[in-house]
């Protein structure tokens, strides 16, 4: 128990005075990673600091709570790590012992490396110096990360921990309307019981040690000599708001570690799904689709077992049929599209779900690029005589856009580093540091998601001039390259006329047999996607 508390007290370490600027930045990032790892594995410890008086440093409490708030708001881990590190940097800058002559070098490094996330937090220095963070939290100029930094500071510096629910209610009504919906992710913290609370369960007094989404682990007296057990939260009550001393809670948390191991159940923090592989339910559907003689009823049965797939197909089929008649069954939806197209649609839906599961500043922009590029690819697949169906073209384009969501450089930037000099180059469309080429990342992921060797070959060929691409897949390559180039021009350059005069683009149009009127039709049909979302 003393080991955990001493570890918590030593979480913040600003680093030795003789560190270079780059070493100092990396030191803060490593510290932030330790904090994030701790909260990922033990959210109960962080949640307990919200309502239990303790002697942890205020900065430590703020970082633990910020990590918890960020995870509940589904911040991407890499992005959240940088936000936490920026708090460490701000604490260092505000420290009276920090040599003033070293500060300009740190700020220059952050600007040079486009670490706007850090600079945003450093702007809050004045707010962090005092204890009245709530004075600044309602400012409409703040982004969500800045607001969560201040919110964590409000509770870390609160004099009466027991009033945390009242404080949250007062803060919530002051927030600007465009950020209030994010509070819904934090409500479980303030609307229920927290680890460390004294409770009643099964008519016996006990202590709540850990929580999941629907269950709590209660330590209580038992005839069976148990260390405690998981019970539905609905069966646990606290008639009076009381809590254990923090040291006692940590001791209980440590002693019950083995007993709390639970197979199944929903964890308290939102689940994150790996992007590298498709969900198991989708693999069984893909396997079913690849059979020579697909049994429609068996396929529909497997799709129906996944509610999100079920809802998506029925809704999309209702919108896509010519008369927009409501589709009421999965079988009807499958017959509307055909077996091959249904498979592509489900894979794209599952892939986009995973790519967009966690938030970072450029999420809206990256999603917009992907949707527009997919829509263009789908449109040109219908116009040109190619092997692509509209659905397979959109799916293959989604794989090409995946680096927007997976490369770390995009997680901490607030503007996309677009290279407008590279008109039709996908590999060099953005100035971002990566050890692997853009298309190699896309092709590898496509293989992991059981895509055919043909479509993976098309992705690979997108790095070449269309005249050097084998005739068998030349049109498909041209569709993808043209769609990507047109998307970039629409969202960043706005000069479609100049793009169409480019000799490389003219070659693409000739290969596909597409005229300028077809480009105009594509732009008109996708007018609803031709906007750049602003970060809020």
């Amino acid at each position: 128990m003393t080991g955990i508390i001493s570890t918590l007290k030593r979480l913040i370490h600003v680093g030795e005075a003789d560190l270079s600027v780059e070493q100092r930045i990396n030191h803060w990032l490593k510290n932030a990673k330790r904090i994030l790892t701790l909260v990922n594995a033990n959210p109960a410890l962080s949640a307990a600091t919200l309502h239990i008086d303790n002697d942890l440093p205020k900065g430590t409490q703020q970082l633990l709570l910020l990590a918890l708030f960020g995870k509940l708001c589904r911040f991407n881990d890499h992005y959240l790590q940088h936000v936490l590190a920026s708090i460490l940097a701000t604490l260092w800058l505000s420290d009276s012992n920090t040599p003033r002559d070293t500060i300009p070098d740190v700020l220059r490094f952050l600007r040079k490396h486009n670490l706007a996330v850090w600079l945003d937090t450093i702007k809050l220095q004045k707010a962090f110096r005092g204890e009245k963070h709530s004075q600044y939290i309602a400012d409409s100029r703040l982004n969500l990360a800045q607001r969560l930094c201040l919110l964590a500071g409000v509770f870390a510096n609160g004099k009466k921990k027991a009033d945390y629910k009242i404080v949250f209610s007062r803060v919530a009504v002051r927030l600007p309307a465009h950020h209030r919906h994010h509070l819904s992710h934090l409500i479980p913290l303030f609307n229920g019981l927290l680890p460390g609370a004294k409770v009643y369960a099964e008519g016996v007094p006990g202590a709540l040690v850990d929580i999941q989404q629907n269950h709590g682990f209660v330590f209580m007296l038992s005839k069976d000599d148990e260390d405690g057990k998981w019970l539905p939260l609905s069966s646990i009550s606290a008639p009076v708001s009381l809590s254990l001393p923090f040291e006692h809670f940590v001791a209980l948390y440590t002693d019950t570690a083995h007993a709390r191991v639970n197979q199944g159940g929903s964890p308290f923090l939102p689940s994150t799904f790996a992007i590298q592989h498709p969900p198991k339910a989708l693999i069984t559907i893909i396997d079913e689709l690849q059979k020579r003689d697909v049994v429609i009823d068996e396929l529909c049965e497997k799709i129906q077992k996944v509610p999100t797939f079920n809802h998506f197909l029925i809704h999309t089929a209702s919108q896509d049929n010519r008369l927009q008649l409501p589709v009421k069954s999965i079988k009807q939806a499958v017959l509307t599209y055909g077996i091959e197209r249904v498979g592509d649609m489900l894979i794209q839906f599952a892939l986009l779900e995973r790519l967009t599961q966690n938030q970072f500043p450029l999420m809206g922009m990256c999603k917009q690029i992907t949707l527009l590029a997919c829509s263009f690819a789908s449109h040109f697949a219908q116009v040109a005589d190619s092997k692509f169906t509209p659905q397979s073209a959109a799916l293959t384009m989604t794989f090409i856009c995946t680096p927007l969501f997976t490369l770390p450089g995009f997680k901490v930037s607030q503007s996309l580093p677009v290279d407008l000099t590279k008109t039709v180059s996908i590999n060099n469309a953005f100035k971002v540091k990566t050890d692997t080429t853009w298309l190699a990342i896309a092709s590898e992921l496509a293989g992991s998601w059981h895509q055919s060797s043909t479509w993976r070959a098309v992705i690979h060929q997108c790095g070449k001039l269309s005249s050097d691409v084998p005739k068998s897949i030349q049109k498909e390559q041209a569709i993808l390259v043209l769609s990507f180039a047109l998307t970039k021009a629409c969202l960043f350059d706005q000069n479609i006329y100049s793009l169409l005069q480019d000799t490389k683009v003219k070659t693409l149009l000739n290969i596909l047999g597409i005229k300028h009127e077809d480009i105009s039709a594509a732009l008109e049909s996708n007018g609803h996607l031709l906007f750049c979302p602003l970060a809020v």
Side-chain angles (χ1 to χ4, degrees):
M1 182 269 287
T2 54
I4 290 181
I5 292 180
S6 62
T7 300
L8 291 173
K9 288 182 177 179
R10 289 184 285 107
L11 270 178
I12 293 183
H13 186 256
V14 295
E16 304 302 329
D18 59 347
L19 291 177
S20 69
V21 173
E22 187 170 355
Q23 287 173 332
R24 191 172 297 283
I25 297 293
N26 287 331
H27 174 79
W28 288 330
L29 283 169
K30 286 178 183 176
N31 260 14
K33 183 69 173 177
R34 287 175 61 206
I35 293 164
L36 191 54
T37 301
L38 175 69
V39 173
N40 267 326
N42 305 282
L45 290 176
S46 181
T49 65
L50 192 60
H51 73 116
I52 302 178
D53 291 320
N54 59 80
D55 60 354
L56 297 178
K58 300 298 182 186
T60 299
Q61 293 183 58
Q62 183 177 6
L63 284 160
L64 289 172
L65 290 172
L66 175 59
L68 183 62
F69 293 166
K71 289 297 294 182
L72 289 172
C73 288
R74 299 205 73 109
F75 277 23
N76 170 271
D77 271 8
H78 187 76
Y79 171 51
L80 184 53
Q81 180 188 355
H82 277 261
V83 176
L84 292 167
S86 70
I87 290 278
L88 290 167
T90 306
L91 294 173
W92 176 79
L93 290 168
S94 303
D95 192 332
S96 58
N97 296 322
T98 299
R100 298 294 101 182
D101 59 333
T102 61
I103 293 175
D105 290 335
V106 171
L107 296 177
R108 274 194 293 271
F109 183 93
L110 296 176
R111 291 191 187 99
K112 180 182 176 182
H113 290 82
N114 198 27
L115 294 174
V117 171
W118 295 58
L119 296 170
D120 283 345
T121 307
I122 289 170
K123 291 175 186 175
L124 303 176
Q125 267 188 88
K126 181 181 176 182
F128 290 155
R129 284 195 193 106
E131 293 187 355
K132 296 184 178 179
H133 295 63
S134 56
Q135 290 181 348
Y136 305 91
I137 201 168
D139 195 316
S140 61
R141 294 171 294 180
L142 299 177
N143 60 40
L144 182 59
Q146 289 175 311
R147 214 175 295 284
L148 289 185
C149 288
L150 288 172
L151 186 63
V154 167
F155 295 107
N157 290 282
K159 293 180 179 178
K160 292 183 179 181
K161 294 278 189 180
D163 293 339
Y164 73 102
K165 292 184 179 181
I166 297 171
V167 173
F168 181 71
S169 299
R170 289 173 180 168
V171 169
V173 296
R174 297 182 60 200
L175 295 191
H178 65 278
H179 276 168
R180 287 188 185 178
H181 68 283
H182 292 290
L183 293 181
S184 62
H185 303 297
L186 304 183
I187 286 176
L189 276 178
F190 299 93
N191 199 34
L193 297 170
L194 292 179
K198 292 182 178 179
V199 297
Y200 271 88
E202 298 183 340
V204 179
L208 185 61
V209 182
D210 202 355
I211 51 175
Q212 293 183 338
Q213 287 184 13
N214 301 308
H215 291 77
F217 186 88
V218 182
F219 178 84
M220 56 188 176
L221 295 175
S222 169
K223 295 177 182 178
D224 302 324
D225 197 29
E226 294 176 321
D227 286 338
K229 56 183 173 181
W230 289 100
L231 297 169
L233 287 173
S234 57
S235 68
I236 304 170
S237 63
V240 181
S241 182
L242 295 173
S243 60
L244 300 172
F246 190 68
E247 293 78 7
H248 292 183
F249 164 70
V250 173
L252 262 184
Y253 187 80
T254 307
D255 292 343
T256 59
H258 181 71
R260 286 185 289 107
V261 174
N262 182 34
Q263 301 299 325
S266 303
F268 181 65
L269 296 178
S271 299
T272 300
F273 302 100
I275 295 172
Q276 286 73 22
H277 302 284
K280 290 180 181 178
L282 183 59
I283 292 175
T284 62
I285 294 170
I286 293 173
D287 291 341
E288 188 69 32
L289 289 167
Q290 289 177 345
K291 291 179 180 178
R292 287 186 179 180
D293 299 315
V294 179
V295 180
I296 298 293
D297 289 335
E298 289 182 8
L299 172 65
C300 293
E301 188 179 332
K302 290 183 178 180
I303 295 173
Q304 283 173 328
K305 289 180 180 178
V306 187
T308 52
F309 290 175
N310 195 37
H311 175 76
F312 163 71
L313 273 184
I314 289 177
H315 174 75
T316 308
S318 297
Q319 298 296 315
D320 275 2
N321 66 75
R322 291 180 181 178
L323 299 177
Q324 291 199 347
L325 298 173
V327 172
K328 298 180 180 179
S329 71
I330 279 294
K331 189 170 184 177
Q332 192 179 349
V334 169
L335 293 174
T336 298
Y337 289 109
I339 292 171
E340 182 186 350
R341 297 187 181 202
V342 162
D344 290 337
M345 290 170 66
L346 289 178
I347 293 170
Q348 186 192 22
F349 174 74
L351 179 59
L352 276 173
E353 260 196 335
R354 296 206 166 191
L355 292 174
T356 59
Q357 63 187 322
N358 293 318
Q359 297 295 317
F360 55 95
L362 289 174
M363 167 66 79
M365 191 71 253
C366 293
K367 188 174 180 180
Q368 198 67 26
I369 293 169
T370 303
L371 292 176
L372 184 57
C374 289
S375 191
F376 280 146
S378 181
H379 181 92
F380 294 136
Q382 289 179 298
V383 176
D385 181 21
S386 77
K387 297 173 185 173
F388 271 147
T389 64
Q391 289 75 19
S392 60
L395 174 59
T396 310
M397 178 56 80
T398 305
F399 282 107
I400 286 179
C401 292
T402 52
L404 287 167
F405 303 89
T406 59
L407 289 177
F410 290 128
K411 300 296 192 309
V412 294
S413 180
Q414 292 185 339
S415 60
L416 278 171
V418 187
D419 189 343
L420 295 174
T421 62
K422 307 291 193 301
T423 313
V424 297
S425 173
I426 296 177
N427 273 329
N428 302 301
F430 300 96
K431 301 171 186 175
V432 61
K433 192 179 291 185
T434 171
D435 296 329
T436 312
T437 65
W438 186 287
L439 290 170
I441 295 170
S443 181
E444 183 181 353
L445 190 65
S448 299
W449 280 67
H450 298 204
Q451 293 304 287
S452 69
S453 56
T454 303
W455 297 157
R456 296 205 307 274
V458 172
I459 293 173
H460 177 72
Q461 294 292 331
C462 285
K464 299 180 181 179
L465 293 173
S466 295
S467 54
D468 297 333
V469 175
K471 290 282 186 182
S472 59
I473 54 173
Q474 194 177 55
K475 285 190 176 182
E476 290 72 31
Q477 185 262 9
I479 286 173
L480 297 176
V481 174
L482 176 63
S483 300
F484 198 90
L486 191 58
T487 297
K488 199 172 76 164
C490 286
L491 294 179
F492 302 107
D493 192 25
Q494 296 296 317
N495 196 339
I496 307 300
Y497 176 78
S498 296
L499 177 71
L500 296 179
Q501 304 311 308
D502 188 287
T503 53
K504 294 177 183 176
V505 174
K506 285 183 176 180
T507 301
L508 295 173
L509 296 177
N510 288 334
I511 290 171
L512 296 171
I514 289 177
K515 300 178 181 178
H516 286 198
E517 298 82 55
D518 297 319
I519 299 291
S520 298
L523 293 172
E524 187 175 344
S525 63
N526 289 289
H528 61 291
L529 292 172
L530 298 178
F531 70 91
C532 296
L534 301 176
V536 292

